[in-house]
Amino acid sequence: MTDSTIGRVQLGAGGPEVGVQGLGCMGMSWAYGPRDAEASRDALERALELGVTLFDTADAYGQGGNEEFLSPFVKAHRDDVVLATKFAISVPPDQPTKRIIRNDAPYIRQAVEASLRRLDVDVIDLYYMHRRDVHVPIEETVGVMADLVREGKVKHLGLSEVTAGELRAARTVHPIAAVQSEWSLFSRDIEAGVVPEARRMGVALVPYSPLGRGFLTGSFADADQDLTSGDFRRTMPRFTGDNAAANVALLEPVRAVAEAHDVSLGQVALAWVQQRAAVHGLTVVPIPGTTKRGRVEENAAATRIVLTQQELDLLESIAGKVAGDRYADMTFSSAGRE
């Protein structure tokens, strides 16, 4: 490992070994405004050079478009890439803010075949249930996912935005390598139940949006003014109006710590998430998303920043002061069901 290469950890007991930081690929195809395919391909290659091996997508990202975009990169580096994708969310093309959640067996089998085809791979390394359909017992859903493992279509199983109880129930059916949930200086609800349960079970946490969907980088202050009309964040309560104004003020402690280390605000936010592994005693592999080579380098460098206890104390109260929920409809999140 060179000085610039990130470390490695194992996702869960018996799970794959990955870089201690992954890469969220959604924004390369969907949700966050204008896209640059060439820059995104460069970012993917640079991430792999730096030791990032967990690349995260989902069938819902761009109606399968993100999986198709990643396919050439994955095929070119198949032995080095740990490929994660997900099923469960359907987004009607004419209603981009609507979510239809399905966890039933016919849908799962249809979804995995479609993902395998779009990715043009024989097996998915880590297959997540993206969101929970409360009308289907989670044991049934994980049972179907376990069948996919036995059939050689999937190697390891993951769950996204599940409660502690749902994780316990799922674990009775099949080993779970990772739980993916939002976790950042702005979003800490999973610490009440999910994090302790994951620690007890030896399940890794894969935090998505560890940069608060970009808010924690200080790069914008109000979605209505700073984000393009097609940006998904314009629909999220924390990013607009009075909420946005209140949340901008919460960045001052982050800025103070960043100045002390001579790093960016985003690097402090990522270092905080990376340090959750030591604070809570479990494996933590955040998946910050970016489409830029420079940001990949900046994010990877954050794995080497160690915040002091005094700095952690300074940042501790931020989440409790955040204005607005993570989503306009929290029923799809673990916090909405705990």
Side-chain angles (χ1 to χ4, degrees):
M1 186 174 76
T2 67
D3 290 343
S4 62
T5 303
I6 65 174
R8 296 174 72 86
V9 292
Q10 186 176 20
L11 289 182
E17 186 179 79
V18 299
V20 74
Q21 184 182 106
L23 180 62
C25 301
M26 179 181 74
M28 296 179 178
S29 304
W30 181 70
Y32 291 156
R35 293 171 287 278
D36 185 329
E38 184 176 352
S40 293
R41 284 190 287 268
D42 188 35
L44 290 167
E45 295 289 345
R46 183 57 177 150
L48 191 60
E49 291 172 356
L50 291 172
V52 173
T53 59
L54 178 62
F55 293 85
D56 185 271
T57 183
D59 60 2
Y61 301 160
Q63 297 290 295
N66 194 233
E67 290 180 326
E68 292 174 344
F69 176 78
L70 286 179
S71 177
F73 169 76
V74 172
K75 289 174 66 178
H77 304 286
R78 192 65 190 99
D79 292 340
D80 301 314
V81 165
V82 176
L83 173 64
T85 192
K86 316 177 194 74
F87 73 89
I89 299 179
S90 176
V91 182
D94 59 337
Q95 295 177 283
T97 62
K98 185 177 181 180
R99 303 288 182 269
I100 299 171
I101 310 300
R102 289 185 60 182
N103 290 173
D104 57 282
Y107 181 83
I108 295 170
R109 290 198 165 276
Q110 171 188 324
V112 74
E113 295 297 341
S115 287
L116 288 167
R117 183 175 62 254
R118 285 189 292 263
L119 290 161
D120 196 14
V121 296
D122 296 324
V123 62
I124 294 165
D125 299 314
L126 178 58
Y127 200 42
Y128 286 101
M129 180 189 77
H130 202 168
R131 289 294 186 273
R132 170 91 168 92
D133 179 356
V134 297
H135 300 102
V136 180
I138 196 165
E139 295 89 344
E140 291 185 15
T141 299
V142 177
V144 178
M145 296 169 72
D147 287 340
L148 299 180
V149 175
R150 287 186 282 272
E151 294 164 13
K153 296 175 181 178
V154 171
K155 290 184 180 179
H156 306 283
L157 302 185
L159 304 170
S160 180
E161 288 288 356
V162 292
T163 66
E166 290 163 352
L167 175 57
R168 281 194 300 273
R171 186 62 182 81
T172 65
V173 179
H174 192 277
I176 303 298
V179 169
Q180 184 177 133
S181 287
E182 188 167 355
W183 200 6
S184 73
L185 282 167
F186 268 20
S187 301
R188 298 182 58 179
D189 49 76
I190 66 169
E191 293 176 18
V194 178
V195 169
E197 193 64 39
R199 181 182 64 244
R200 284 192 290 271
M201 293 187 172
V203 175
L205 251 296
V206 177
Y208 72 84
S209 299
L211 294 171
R213 300 185 186 274
F215 207 112
L216 286 162
T217 66
S219 58
F220 60 87
D222 188 299
D224 290 335
Q225 298 180 24
D226 302 333
L227 301 178
T228 61
S229 59
D231 196 303
F232 176 67
R233 290 169 290 187
R234 290 170 65 96
T235 69
M236 310 189 86
R238 293 179 174 176
F239 289 82
T240 57
D242 292 341
N243 286 349
N247 293 334
V248 166
L250 299 179
L251 298 181
E252 288 310 308
V254 186
R255 187 169 285 108
V257 175
E259 290 175 356
H261 285 263
D262 192 23
V263 298
S264 70
L265 275 69
Q267 285 178 304
V268 170
L270 275 177
W272 181 90
V273 176
Q274 299 280 175
Q275 236 166 299
R276 298 300 91 191
V279 170
H280 292 279
L282 78 168
T283 299
V284 177
V285 181
I287 49 169
T290 185
T291 62
K292 298 178 176 63
R293 179 187 184 93
R295 292 296 188 194
V296 166
E297 295 170 343
E298 179 181 316
N299 292 347
T303 65
R304 296 185 289 278
I305 298 170
V306 178
L307 305 178
T308 67
Q309 187 59 54
Q310 183 178 9
E311 290 166 340
L312 293 174
D313 291 343
L314 182 64
L315 301 171
E316 180 63 25
S317 65
I318 290 176
K321 300 175 182 177
V322 172
D325 284 331
R326 296 201 270 128
Y327 294 99
D329 182 356
M330 287 290 287
T331 60
F332 296 126
S333 71
S334 59
R337 299 192 305 280
E338 285 282 14

